[in-house]
Amino acid sequence: MVTIKTDKDIKNLRIAGKMLAAVLLEVQNCIKPGVKTITLDTLAEDLIRKHGATPAFKNYQNFPNDTPFPSTLCTSVNEEVVHAPASNRVLVDGDIIGVDIGLKYTIDGRDYFTDMARTIGVGKISKIAKKLLRVTKTSLEIGIRQVKPENTILDIGRAIQEYVESQGFSVVRSLTGHGVGYKVHEDPQIPNYVRSHAKNVVMKKGMVLAIEPMVNIGSPDVMTSDDGWTISTLDGSLSAHFEHTVVVTDNGYEILTKM
Ligand code: MF3
Ligand code: CO
Ligand code: CO
């Protein structure tokens, strides 16, 4: 079921989105060669709690039998696409790191979730890595521009796929964006490509969407590692990820997680 948020919900989600963007900015400012991903994670958790909110991903389970997700951040380096738990891994010059962050803000007796991500270069990165970051960030912006009442969810994926492939890269297919707000993951799924069997959904004012293209330099295929969480490219090529939480407004959209 796709939920419609009230004006009061949007007000609270706006607060939760601003908090999240502020925390991610502080995390981003700490990223440099020599830093461990767990150090970024501790910083993020402290900052979220200082805002009176809670990390949304820590102990998250997709299914009841999953190993609970162990950290506040997803810290996916190089060929890792998404969902890499923070660890003692030390960032080195030339790495790219996808930082995905979510929080739960409880107010007026209700939980509000926001979700965002961006991929950041560590030190001096290669020319192709720079292009990957630029293309992925732009593909998110292009997808977001499709958000308005009466457009459909597939319009978002179509725009993202068309742009990414025109730049010679590929869009991951087995993971999607999603509704968000009352929970981390709500309906509808938001594929970043034209999925012919997808249930299409017409956008309505008050829908809150997490749009999140994952873009690979090589093939779109991915695999899950033995830790049960980390998803990497099958061919080992670099991958990037950008995400915003966006609300459908009267005549377009508002980005709730603007930095
Ligand atoms: N933030 C991810 C998303 O964009 C979900 C992370 S859940 C976790 O959908 F448990 F893997 F962290
Ligand atoms: Co996310
Ligand atoms: Co998401």
Side-chain angles (χ1 to χ4, degrees), residues 57 60 69 74 83 100 115 178 185 212 229 243:
F57 306 157
Y60 181 87
F69 190 75
C74 304
H83 301 172
D100 194 337
D115 183 7
H178 50 93
H185 291 135
E212 50 178 315
W229 281 108
E243 174 176 29

Side-chain angles (χ1 to χ4, degrees), residues 74-142:
C74 304
T75 52
S76 308
V77 178
N78 296 337
E79 78 287 353
E80 294 170 351
V81 179
V82 285
H83 301 172
S87 70
N88 282 318
R89 179 172 188 156
V90 178
L91 297 175
V92 302
D93 192 55
D95 280 346
I96 59 170
I97 175 171
V99 180
D100 194 337
I101 181 167
L103 66 72
K104 178 176 81 173
Y105 172 56
T106 306
I107 187 164
D108 301 331
R110 237 195 140 128
D111 294 338
Y112 293 100
F113 290 87
T114 49
D115 183 7
M116 75 183 299
R118 56 175 16 204
T119 302
I120 297 149
V122 181
K124 190 173 158 43
I125 63 172
S126 69
K127 215 170 138 191
I128 188 81
K130 271 188 200 155
K131 179 180 173 190
L132 176 67
L133 301 197
R134 189 180 69 238
V135 167
T136 311
K137 182 165 188 279
T138 303
S139 78
L140 171 59
E141 291 159 3
I142 286 172

Side-chain angles (χ1 to χ4, degrees), residues 9-238:
D9 291 334
I10 302 303
K11 226 179 257 170
N12 289 331
L13 283 165
R14 200 175 279 128
I15 297 169
K18 285 211 170 89
M19 281 179 191
L20 194 64
V23 174
L24 182 51
L25 185 61
E26 290 220 34
V27 170
Q28 173 170 342
N29 289 337
C30 288
I31 290 177
K32 56 174 190 239
V35 169
K36 289 181 179 170
T37 59
I38 193 72
T39 305
L40 302 174
D41 197 75
T42 307
L43 171 68
E45 178 166 359
D46 286 351
L47 292 170
I48 287 173
R49 293 196 190 279
K50 266 196 197 130
H51 277 105
T54 317
F57 306 157
K58 206 167 191 173
N59 298 316
Y60 181 87
Q61 293 170 293
N62 281 317
F63 303 101
N65 287 333
D66 282 350
T67 326
F69 190 75
S71 53
T72 292
L73 300 177
C74 304
T75 52
S76 308
V77 178
N78 296 337
E79 78 287 353
E80 294 170 351
V81 179
V82 285
H83 301 172
S87 70
N88 282 318
R89 179 172 188 156
V90 178
L91 297 175
V92 302
D93 192 55
D95 280 346
I96 59 170
I97 175 171
V99 180
D100 194 337
I101 181 167
L103 66 72
K104 178 176 81 173
Y105 172 56
T106 306
I107 187 164
D108 301 331
R110 237 195 140 128
D111 294 338
Y112 293 100
F113 290 87
T114 49
D115 183 7
M116 75 183 299
R118 56 175 16 204
T119 302
I120 297 149
V122 181
K124 190 173 158 43
I125 63 172
S126 69
K127 215 170 138 191
I128 188 81
K130 271 188 200 155
K131 179 180 173 190
L132 176 67
L133 301 197
R134 189 180 69 238
V135 167
T136 311
K137 182 165 188 279
T138 303
S139 78
L140 171 59
E141 291 159 3
I142 286 172
I144 289 173
R145 271 186 237 139
Q146 292 298 319
V147 174
K148 59 177 161 209
E150 304 316 317
N151 264 14
T152 72
I153 291 299
L154 286 187
D155 293 327
I156 299 171
R158 184 179 304 109
I160 290 172
Q161 179 179 27
E162 203 175 80
Y163 171 69
V164 167
E165 292 180 355
S166 79
Q167 298 301 306
F169 295 149
S170 70
V171 166
V172 173
R173 285 152 162 70
S174 56
L175 297 150
T176 68
H178 50 93
V180 65
Y182 299 144
K183 296 192 289 180
V184 179
H185 291 135
E186 297 181 26
D187 289 340
Q189 288 194 8
I190 308 174
N192 296 299
Y193 68 103
V194 184
R195 186 189 269 181
S196 51
H197 59 274
K199 192 172 131 232
N200 206 355
V201 171
V202 178
M203 287 183 256
K204 299 287 175 198
K205 182 192 171 188
M207 287 184 182
V208 178
L209 310 172
I211 302 176
E212 50 178 315
M214 289 147 267
V215 175
N216 299 349
I217 286 181
S219 109
D221 297 331
V222 298
M223 61 183 180
T224 307
S225 342
D226 294 337
D227 66 15
W229 281 108
T230 308
I231 296 184
S232 304
T233 58
L234 194 58
D235 63 9
S237 69
L238 288 182

Side-chain angles (χ1 to χ4, degrees), residues 10 13-14 18 144 147 207-209 244-249 252-258:
I10 302 303
L13 283 165
R14 200 175 279 128
K18 285 211 170 89
I144 289 173
V147 174
M207 287 184 182
V208 178
L209 310 172
H244 271 309
T245 297
V246 175
V247 57
V248 185
T249 61
Y253 61 85
E254 177 186 339
I255 299 174
L256 297 173
T257 47
K258 218 173 188 132

